[in-house]
Amino acid sequence: QKEVEQNSGPLSVPEGAIASLNCTYSDRGSQSFFWYRQYSGKSPELIMFIYSNGDKEDGRFTAQLNKASQYVSLLIRDSQPSDSATYLCAVGTGGYNKLIFGAGTRLAVHP
Amino acid sequence: SAVISQKPSRDICQRGTSLTIQCQVDSQVTMMFWYRQQPGQSLTLIATANQGSEATYESGFVIDKFPISRPNLTFSTLTVSNMSPEDSSIYLCSVETLGSYEQYFGPGTRLTVT
């Protein structure tokens, strides 16, 4: 059973701080890794995609991948109240790159 | 990214009936996927919809309950058949864009079965 694990939270951070979200996965053959943001009542929105070991930065977001440790993380710098949402980690697996999702981490950024 | 629409956005259906959900993309895509998100839970893949061939179903999902069509590179349908209250969920389609592993989601269909 291929699994993706996330801390469900809530993770509470003050405005302006760095939020750190973590995810581990079980399938060593996984090649692609995604972070989605989901606001309540909305569909998931892709915010980061990474497939190589190391860091990938996009604006205030940095995704970090360590395939040896089967670990992927998302850092959000200068957190804003509008970042308050559930963050879903997803891992692509299999020939069709189907996604297996973690349970999601709820992030709350307070002023 | 791709612009994805789903119809209907929501519906309330009686048990024993069927509902067909449509997913339309504004550009040609390689893969289309159908997911279910039950209340308060994460996403679970139902099936992968391939153009020109039968869909590939995940464990726990069968074609008789969730028949899928993919007649071309921009359109797919998912039917939820013989519905029960346990089928109440949000159904989402996602697409994988050409030349990329990136997957984008449609707005979802919120289904309530009474």
Side-chain angles (χ1 to χ4, degrees), chain B residues 2 27-31 70 73 95-102:
Chain B
S27 58
Q28 292 186 349
V29 295
T30 50
M31 306 302 295
R70 173 102 190 261
L73 292 175
V95 305
E96 183 176 283
T97 53
L98 285 171
S100 170
Y101 285 134
E102 297 176 9

Side-chain angles (χ1 to χ4, degrees), chain A residues 19-77:
Chain A
S20 178
L21 304 161
N22 304 313
C23 173
T24 59
Y25 60 95
S26 63
D27 182 11
R28 285 195 170 273
S30 300
Q31 294 295 319
S32 55
F33 307 86
F34 303 79
W35 284 99
Y36 289 88
R37 177 174 62 195
Q38 188 173 30
Y39 293 111
S40 180
K42 300 294 186 182
S43 66
E45 173 192 7
L46 179 65
I47 55 173
M48 289 295 285
F49 160 61
I50 188 169
Y51 59 88
S52 298
N53 274 328
D55 295 358
K56 179 180 179 181
E57 185 175 320
D58 184 0
R60 295 187 297 114
F61 300 98
T62 299
Q64 299 174 317
L65 175 62
N66 185 325
K67 289 186 178 180
S69 299
Q70 296 176 246
Y71 175 90
V72 57
S73 66
L74 179 70
L75 300 178
I76 306 174
R77 290 181 299 280

Side-chain angles (χ1 to χ4, degrees), chain B residues 1-105:
Chain B
S1 64
V3 177
I4 307 164
S5 61
Q6 284 187 236
K7 291 181 181 179
S9 59
R10 59 177 62 226
D11 207 342
I12 300 173
C13 302
Q14 291 192 338
R15 71 170 64 212
T17 63
S18 298
L19 176 71
T20 295
I21 302 167
Q22 299 178 4
C23 179
Q24 178 76 55
V25 193
D26 69 340
S27 58
Q28 292 186 349
V29 295
T30 50
M31 306 302 295
M32 298 181 79
F33 305 87
W34 287 98
Y35 290 82
R36 180 173 72 182
Q37 187 170 31
Q38 295 180 304
Q41 297 190 27
S42 191
L43 283 76
T44 300
L45 179 64
I46 298 171
T48 302
N50 304 310
Q51 194 265 334
S53 64
E54 285 194 5
T56 303
Y57 290 83
E58 297 303 303
S59 175
F61 299 97
V62 294
I63 187 172
D64 289 346
K65 176 67 176 177
F66 297 102
I68 287 171
S69 76
R70 173 102 190 261
N72 57 52
L73 292 175
T74 63
F75 186 78
S76 178
T77 66
L78 169 75
T79 299
V80 186
S81 304
N82 188 25
M83 289 184 285
S84 67
E86 292 70 36
D87 295 319
S88 296
S89 186
I90 299 173
Y91 292 85
L92 297 133
C93 72
S94 75
V95 305
E96 183 176 283
T97 53
L98 285 171
S100 170
Y101 285 134
E102 297 176 9
Q103 289 190 27
Y104 298 90
F105 282 84

